[in-house]
Amino acid sequence: MNKTTCAACDCELGSGAISVKLGGKTVEVCCQECAEALKEAETAKTAATGKD
C-alpha cells in the first residue's frame, strides 16, 4: 500500500485531500488550513524574489 502525505505537515492524506497549485506544480494537502499556509508561503517567496 502506497501512503501519501500532506505537502505542508506530513500527515497522511485521506479521501478529502485538497490539490494546490504552486509554482507550476500541483501538490496535495490534508486540509484547508494547510492549503492556505502553502499559498501564503508561495506568495511570500514570490514577493521576496521578485519573480512571478
Side-chain angles (χ1 to χ4, degrees), residues 29-46:
V29 294
C30 62
C31 63
Q32 189 62 36
E33 185 177 321
C34 285
E36 290 174 14
L38 284 183
K39 288 178 184 177
E40 288 174 10
E42 179 69 12
T43 300
K45 176 184 162 193
T46 301

Side-chain angles (χ1 to χ4, degrees), residues 1-49:
M1 185 177 214
N2 188 13
K3 292 185 180 180
T4 306
T5 58
C6 175
C9 70
D10 289 332
C11 291
E12 189 173 333
L13 294 175
S15 60
I18 300 169
S19 295
V20 179
K21 190 167 184 173
L22 300 170
K25 293 184 180 183
T26 302
V27 297
E28 290 188 321
V29 294
C30 62
C31 63
Q32 189 62 36
E33 185 177 321
C34 285
E36 290 174 14
L38 284 183
K39 288 178 184 177
E40 288 174 10
E42 179 69 12
T43 300
K45 176 184 162 193
T46 301
T49 61

